[in-house]
Amino acid sequence: MRFRGNTQFASAVGLVLGLLCAVEAAKVNKHKPWIETTYHGIVTENDDKVLLDPPLIALDKDAPLRYAESFEVTLTKEGEICGFRIHGQNVPFEAVVLDKSTGEGVIRAKDKLDCELQKEHTFTIQAYDCGEGPDGANMKKSHKATVHIQVNDINEYSPVFKEKSYKATVIEGKKYDSILKVEAVDADCSFQFSQICNYEIVTPDVPFTIDKDGFIKNTEKLSYGKEHMYKLTVTAYDCGKNRASEDVLVKISVKPTCKPSWQGFNKRIEYEPGTGSLALFPSMHLETCDEPITSIRANIELETNHIGKGCDRDTYSEKSLHKLCGASSGTVELLPAPSSSANWTVGLPTDNGHDSDQVFEFNGTQAIKVPDGMVSTSLKEPFTISVWMRHGPGAHEKETILCNSDKTEMNRHHYSLYVHNCRLILLLRQDPSEAENYKPAEFHWKLDQACDKEWHHYVLNVELPTVSLFVDGTTFEPFLVTEDYPLHSSKIETQLTIGACWQDNSGHDNDTESVSEPTSGGNARMAQFFRGNLAGLMIRSGKLENKKVIDCLYTCKEGLDVQLPEEVASAVKVEFNPNQSSLTVEGDDIDAFDKVMQHLSYLNSRQFPTPGIRHLRISTTVKCFNEESCVTVPDAEGYVMVLQPEEPKISLSGIDHFARSAAEFESQEGVTLFPELRIVSTITREVEADTESEATEGADDDPTVQEAVVSEEIMHNLDTCEVTVVGDELDGEHEGLEVDMSQLQQHSLEMSSSNLGLVITGVNTMANYEQVLHLIRYKNWHTEALFDRKFKLVCSELNGRYISNDFKVEVNVIHTANPVEHANNAMVQPNFINPVHHASVDLSGHNLVNAHQASVVPSAATIVIVVCVSFLVFMIILGVFRIRAAHQSTMSDQENGKENEMDWDDSALTITVNPMETYEDQHSSEEEEEEEEESEDGEEEDDITSAESESSEDEEGAEPEDKQGASRQQQLEWDDSTLTY
């Protein structure tokens, strides 16, 4: 028992000694505190709390374990963080420990911070622990960490103007872009609160405005007589919407002065179409306010870019315009107006907003194929390409205007015209030759016109090895010409396209867009699409365009003109630009200068000009002896209003229904369709009422009095007449339309035909078109079953701007063979020709009758109808005699009844009923049914004979029938003459 007790005591002593050893070991401060290397903080001025990222926490490995809850050690403080130390000069911050055991702390401002004094602060910080024992021996420090603190601004300051007041002086009658500038500043440190975002004029109802930069300008012309000085109160706002602490006063004085300017002209000038030249400024003069002037220079500009393709031109087809300008042969129009004979441009978007000035739009996804055979240009011969183009800056890709490439397989480009990086490039791969040498293949022109979004006219005269380019009539030389080998010989057909290049992608990546229309064979695609507008694309082979033709195609039909008086011709110099849309006048004599301006005029030579506004601007520069005080002449602006021309009404008239024998249709000459055609064009004008109406009292006050409308015949050209067949299309095997080609050539007209009819094109007078249309003939070599044919004629002017009425002609065919004369055509049908058998031909829509029925002898039904008609005539005559006899009997009874007027005698009330009436009505209905059957069976057999027969019947039967009806009505009326009262 004693031994056991000693053992337990020894164990307890060992445990206590172990614990004491452990405590002693824990009291050793082995590790340094640890903190982050960098901290970023934000503090708002007027606040002391700093928001740090990451938070300020110091860690120490000497700290006791947190999970040892069963055994607390409270004897030592090793592992605790006692504080943070900040290093730096005049650092307005301090670091405070919030929890020693966790090492958590904060940084706060010692005093109030001011962003305006210092926006950012940078310093270092260290953490230190509590050391060993109660005296803190062996204290450990962490490394130094960098702290960046940004001071956020608050909008504590308001804007302040730099000046206490502002003054400025302006001249009356002038609008300024800027009169003066006011400026305010803000003392806040941040961009948001230190910037001035807005200025405001506080004074109401003043003709001034101020922008966000403080520039003040007047909104209307100031008058010294109205106000000598304006006093404005102006305030400012910073971007935090703080208003200026004090508003500022702005004084603007109006100075009376002379107004150097052009005076004595109307801003709106109306131009009546067809009146020739119109003086623009007949009373204009320049006011210089007695300033000694040495020279004057004025530029007068007429803005016409919004009219058509840059100005007013004739809107005929491009082919017609080429002929009018002298290029009359070998011209092929590749972008014609859609029609029955030129339908490849039908699906292309157009711009018809300029009075039928045909413009085509290409949006980068559309292109068209030109039919085969339209262009047969050989690169060995000289040829010309001309086009109107409007193109803006585009992508860095090729944009094709015109391209001729292989249809299949090789994708070779034989020739093409395209735009690339504001350069116009013509590619010409010459045909194979014996010498395999390099030859010129690409011609490059660098042009600003190719990317300025304005209309320009391009003409390329190609005569290898040289190519000449004319842009708006001005010559340009290529800056680069590259060479290549000629193409190898090949039998592959080519495809001409507009707006893109045609290529076959068989075996290649399909990185291009599909053409919108179906293709035959291969994987055909379009590439290098054009983006812009094109018009008047032409190719003329065999002859180059001369400068005269090019100038004619480009020249505007409207522009400025001046007729210089002889006395001032030597004192003033006048220069025009090529299209006469602007001119420059220079001189040193003010009086002579004024006379030139007064003789300046506007001219539009078109018979039917495009209506609308043409702006005018006069820019003037003067030079004085004293340059410092030289006057400034403001620009003068106005506009010419071209009034709507009286629209012509084109009327076609003539014989619209006639018949000819079948032999004439089958003859060599055929049948003339429009033998007496007349083309007349009229305009409608409103004129004042006759002066005689003024004599009528109160006529002037009558609001119902209207102006009289009169019609006046005018003469002008036509450019198209189209004859189309109404009904089924023409069958070229046995019918057709012909015209005298010599007459066409004589009048420089062209004709194209199809199974729909024919189209005559070319600019010429209405009289010449009449003459040519009179010669159009219709032939039909198989008229056995043809009854009639209908045609329609339409003429137009200015590419469809003015269109005539639809003149329709119906031609009937008379079928006759060995006719037998009869006294009454209504009683006997004509003899028919012998049966002729034909093959079955589909001629639906030609108003044809059955060929077999048309060739047989009259049927029994026809004989019965003739007999019935004869019997009907006999019965009508018999009825007439019966009615007359009954009428005479009635008149005799009336005379006898007068003897006993006061007695009622009903014996005189005689009602006579025509015994033939019932039979006649019944027979009439039977006759109508028989006549309807007759018309169905026989009408188409001989229309002319039937018409004559019916007219004969009407003439013979009308009078008896009327007399019979009148007699019967008289007989049935109540005769009160026999009544006695």
Side-chain angles (χ1 to χ4, degrees), residues 269-281 300 302-304 307 311-313 556-562 580-581 583 597-606 609-616 639-643:
I269 305 156
E270 292 188 353
Y271 180 79
E272 182 74 27
T275 56
S277 182
L278 173 67
L280 295 175
F281 316 113
I300 300 92
L302 178 72
E303 295 183 2
T304 59
I307 304 296
C311 66
D312 210 3
R313 297 181 175 89
C556 298
K557 293 293 184 179
E558 65 177 340
L560 300 174
D561 192 17
V562 63
Q580 290 190 289
S581 62
L583 61 87
M597 297 298 291
Q598 292 167 7
H599 285 79
L600 186 65
S601 61
Y602 169 80
L603 176 64
N604 195 316
S605 60
R606 294 189 65 190
T610 303
I613 291 176
R614 279 77 164 164
H615 287 281
L616 276 169
Y639 61 93
V640 178
M641 171 58 76
V642 179
L643 302 179

Side-chain angles (χ1 to χ4, degrees), residues 946-957:
S946 300
E948 292 174 354
S949 301
E950 289 172 3
S951 62
S952 301
E953 280 185 46
D954 293 340
E955 292 173 359
E956 291 179 6

Side-chain angles (χ1 to χ4, degrees), residues 16 97 213 385 522 531 536 584 602 621 706 781 793 843 878 902:
V16 171
V97 177
D213 296 321
I385 300 176
R531 295 172 177 84
T584 302
Y602 169 80
T621 304
Q706 297 181 353
W781 300 277
L793 171 64
L843 296 174
L878 179 61
M902 301 303 294

Side-chain angles (χ1 to χ4, degrees), residues 47 66 81 97 108 172 193 255 278 301 314 355 378 496 501 532 570 627 642 644 740 752 816 827 899 901 924 930 949:
D47 191 7
R66 294 292 177 187
I81 303 301
V97 177
R108 60 192 178 192
E172 67 171 344
F193 298 140
K255 181 181 178 181
L278 173 67
E301 183 180 359
D314 283 330
D355 297 301
S378 172
L496 183 62
C501 239
S570 59
E627 292 294 336
V642 179
Q644 179 74 37
D740 192 336
S752 60
T816 57
M827 303 299 295
E899 298 176 358
E901 290 180 354
S924 297
E930 291 173 353
S949 301

